[in-house]
Amino acid sequence: SQQGEEDPQALSIQEGENATMNCSYKTSINNLQWYRQNSGRGLVHLILIRSNEREKHSGRLRVTLDTSKKSSSLLITASRAADTASYFCAARNSGNTPLVFGKGTRLSVIA
Amino acid sequence: DAEITQSPRHKITETGRQVTLACHQTWNHNNMFWYRQDLGHGLRLIHYSYGVQDTNKGEVSDGYSVSRSNTEDLPLTLESAASSQTSVYFCASSVGTGGTGELFFGEGSRLTVL
């Protein structure tokens, strides 16, 4: 069963705009991670946020975590056409369990 | 550079045949995972291993098996391929205890079962 569920399923924006993707999860987590997948390729890790962190930045990426609402968001600022990809959140439950992925958000950035 | 490689990248097989997908990583990571990716389902965990001789079932393990005889390899075997196993398969690895860290993914193996 999915631990993370992304919203929206698809998002289309103009180059230069910000893109926000949301992720909700079901149970207590150890950490939450975001991955990117270009068409036909494997997933690439973007950022990890631990359960005791509320916000994290990496370049144009900003991730927030609200454990009371069991939700996270990924913000990509000043988007570029090269940001076009699918984005997945993945959560790791407390304990010794592997990451469970959501179904992803397909982001299209139009030049 | 260290890497994780999957082979074959594309395979077409017939129902009932045995198929093995290879996964090889050169990072010396303890943890290795197999996921399948299907439209509408995202990535679902098939099997995983936290070290040599350790294997565990994931969410969708029926019809699949793995073995871990060394650190570098985790081959995935479909004992008797079924059309429902047509999918893209991803292998991943990570370092650390119990798979706590980030996953490094291979480029995927696209399997078609006719």
Side-chain angles (χ1 to χ4, degrees), chain A residues 21-91:
Chain A
M21 289 159 270
N22 302 298
C23 171
S24 60
Y25 58 91
K26 298 175 183 175
T27 65
S28 298
I29 60 170
N30 179 288
N31 67 59
L32 188 139
Q33 303 180 29
W34 285 90
Y35 288 79
R36 166 195 169 122
Q37 183 182 33
N38 288 353
S39 181
R41 306 295 300 275
L43 281 74
V44 175
H45 181 264
L46 293 176
I47 197 164
L48 179 155
I49 186 165
R50 292 183 171 78
S51 59
N52 61 352
E53 298 175 311
R54 291 297 168 258
E55 187 170 311
K56 205 162 182 180
H57 296 256
S58 176
R60 293 184 296 112
L61 305 181
R62 173 178 169 250
V63 169
T64 61
L65 179 65
D66 187 335
T67 54
S68 67
K69 295 181 180 179
K70 291 186 170 59
S71 68
S72 173
S73 67
L74 171 66
L75 169 67
I76 304 174
T77 60
S79 62
R80 306 165 181 168
D83 294 328
T84 294
S86 291
Y87 292 83
F88 295 85
C89 69

Side-chain angles (χ1 to χ4, degrees), chain B residues 6-113:
Chain B
Q6 295 183 229
S7 62
R9 295 291 313 278
H10 301 272
K11 185 170 181 65
I12 300 173
T13 191
E14 295 177 342
T15 301
R17 291 191 180 269
Q18 184 181 80
V19 176
T20 296
L21 305 179
C23 177
H24 179 79
Q25 53 98 2
T26 58
W27 283 299
N28 205 35
H29 285 169
N30 291 335
N31 313 309
M32 296 185 72
F33 309 84
W34 275 103
Y35 290 87
R36 61 178 287 176
Q37 185 174 33
D38 304 286
L39 202 61
H41 290 280
L43 276 85
R44 292 181 290 174
L45 183 65
I46 305 171
H47 281 286
Y48 60 101
S49 168
Y50 287 158
V52 176
Q53 302 301 332
D54 175 73
T55 60
N56 306 278
K57 294 181 179 180
E59 178 189 0
V60 290
S61 61
D62 287 350
Y64 303 94
S65 63
V66 294
S67 62
R68 186 92 180 270
S69 58
N70 59 51
T71 300
E72 296 81 15
D73 299 289
L74 187 70
L76 177 70
T77 297
L78 288 68
E79 301 293 344
S80 178
S83 58
S84 61
Q85 294 176 308
T86 292
S87 186
V88 182
Y89 292 86
F90 287 97
C91 180
S93 69
S94 72
V95 70
T97 303
T100 54
E102 68 177 273
L103 297 184
F104 294 83
F105 281 83
E107 291 296 315
S109 295
R110 181 176 294 275
L111 176 67
T112 301
V113 183

Side-chain angles (χ1 to χ4, degrees), chain A residues 91-105:
Chain A
R92 183 178 178 275
N93 295 335
S94 301
N96 208 26
T97 56
L99 284 178
V100 178
F101 285 80
K103 297 179 182 180
T105 293

